[in-house]
Amino acid sequence: MSESPVVPHHIAIVMDGNGRWAKRRFLPRLAGHKQGVDSLRRCARACAQRGVAVLTVFAFSSENWNRPAEEVSGLMELLALALAREVPELKKDGVRLYFVGDRAGLSPKVQGGLAQAEAATAGNDRLILNVCFNYGGRWDIAQAAASLAARGEPITEASLHGAMGLAHVPDPDLVIRTGGEMRISNFLLWQAAYSEFIFSDRLWPDFDESALDEAIAAYSGRERRFGKTSEQILSAHPQPMPG
């Protein structure tokens, strides 16, 4: 019998490729983003079924404001619609929502929708879903340092970590980027210091359960040393002798 794969406690995903998915089908870019919401729904459900405790996704970066105004406004409208449609289902499925990012740059309507979604799912514990919206890794580090300085607290690794937007969850074990690009694009710069990375050629709307299983299997086959040697890891976790 083959051993079951080691399932990451926390998976983070850069959901890239929505626009290209739509372009290949001669559709407007927003159609790709709508399909991306469907893919996120499938992925969240699959993560919960496989025992993943935390899923963090990069939904809208602080750099995305530089995109065409029509696309940005469409994304904001899509967010409002997705919240209205998806939150009841997420609540029923045991998913707890957190929105991580700079809310000061969002409209009062969007801010209210995010707060309501978080409140509606606050009692759930099957899967934590962090949606990074108007988020940037550099912004996260800067805001954490600024908040500590404003409180007159010393800035250390531990205090910075506690002031970050994802302080409520452990750092990601696995970071996946879809769409064929091999960069992290200002995502979780602090938290991904010791994460394993997988870069998938699949566009995000095509990233399905089988692609998730492939990523988990690849992660399971890696040795995470955190600065130690292989021998130290093996001595701390000796392998059982075959029967």
Side-chain angles (χ1 to χ4, degrees):
M1 294 179 65
S2 60
E3 294 184 3
S4 300
V6 177
V7 176
H9 180 86
H10 182 178
I11 294 178
I13 304 179
V14 181
M15 305 182 295
D16 193 23
N18 292 332
R20 281 173 286 158
W21 183 92
K23 186 176 180 180
R24 290 178 184 179
R25 289 160 176 79
F26 304 101
L27 297 169
R29 290 177 60 86
L30 197 59
H33 294 302
K34 290 179 180 177
Q35 195 69 27
V37 172
D38 293 339
S39 186
L40 175 55
R41 184 194 310 115
R42 291 198 313 269
C43 187
R45 185 172 291 121
C47 281
Q49 291 170 347
R50 285 150 180 77
V52 176
V54 184
L55 174 62
T56 299
V57 296
F58 205 4
F60 188 87
S61 77
S62 46
E63 288 78 25
N64 285 155
W65 292 106
N66 297 320
R67 292 190 174 189
E70 181 181 354
E71 182 176 354
V72 172
S73 63
L75 282 169
M76 294 299 162
E77 186 66 26
L78 178 60
L79 173 65
L81 291 172
L83 287 174
R85 187 182 71 181
E86 302 295 339
V87 168
E89 286 298 313
L90 291 172
K91 182 178 179 180
K92 188 171 67 175
D93 290 342
V95 177
R96 181 170 186 175
L97 271 170
Y98 286 89
F99 291 93
V100 182
D102 185 7
R103 300 195 190 187
L106 305 175
S107 71
K109 178 182 177 182
V110 171
Q111 290 186 42
L114 302 187
Q116 288 175 10
E118 288 179 332
T121 60
N124 290 345
D125 59 7
R126 187 181 182 199
L127 175 74
I128 292 176
L129 174 56
N130 299 306
V131 179
C132 293
F133 197 86
N134 199 24
Y135 172 90
R138 290 179 175 177
W139 165 85
D140 198 8
I141 296 169
Q143 68 82 24
S147 65
L148 291 172
R151 298 197 298 264
E153 298 181 18
I155 296 176
T156 65
E157 283 194 25
S159 65
L160 264 179
H161 188 83
M164 293 280 179
L166 287 173
H168 57 284
V169 293
D171 288 343
D173 303 291
L174 173 63
V175 177
I176 302 168
R177 179 170 186 148
T178 63
E181 305 288 358
M182 295 190 181
R183 55 179 178 269
I184 57 175
S185 296
N186 198 19
F187 183 50
L188 305 184
L189 298 182
W190 178 275
Q191 295 87 349
Y194 279 100
S195 301
E196 295 295 322
F197 281 79
I198 288 177
F199 298 95
S200 171
D201 288 331
R202 296 202 196 196
L203 302 178
W204 173 244
D206 295 327
F207 192 86
D208 56 13
E209 292 86 350
S210 66
L212 177 67
D213 288 336
E214 288 172 11
I216 291 174
Y219 166 86
S220 183
R222 297 184 186 181
E223 180 183 72
R224 305 186 73 202
R225 294 192 294 273
F226 299 97
K228 297 180 180 179
T229 66
S230 296
E231 290 75 17
Q232 287 176 300
I233 300 297
L234 287 172
S235 65
H237 302 282
Q239 298 298 309
M241 294 292 290

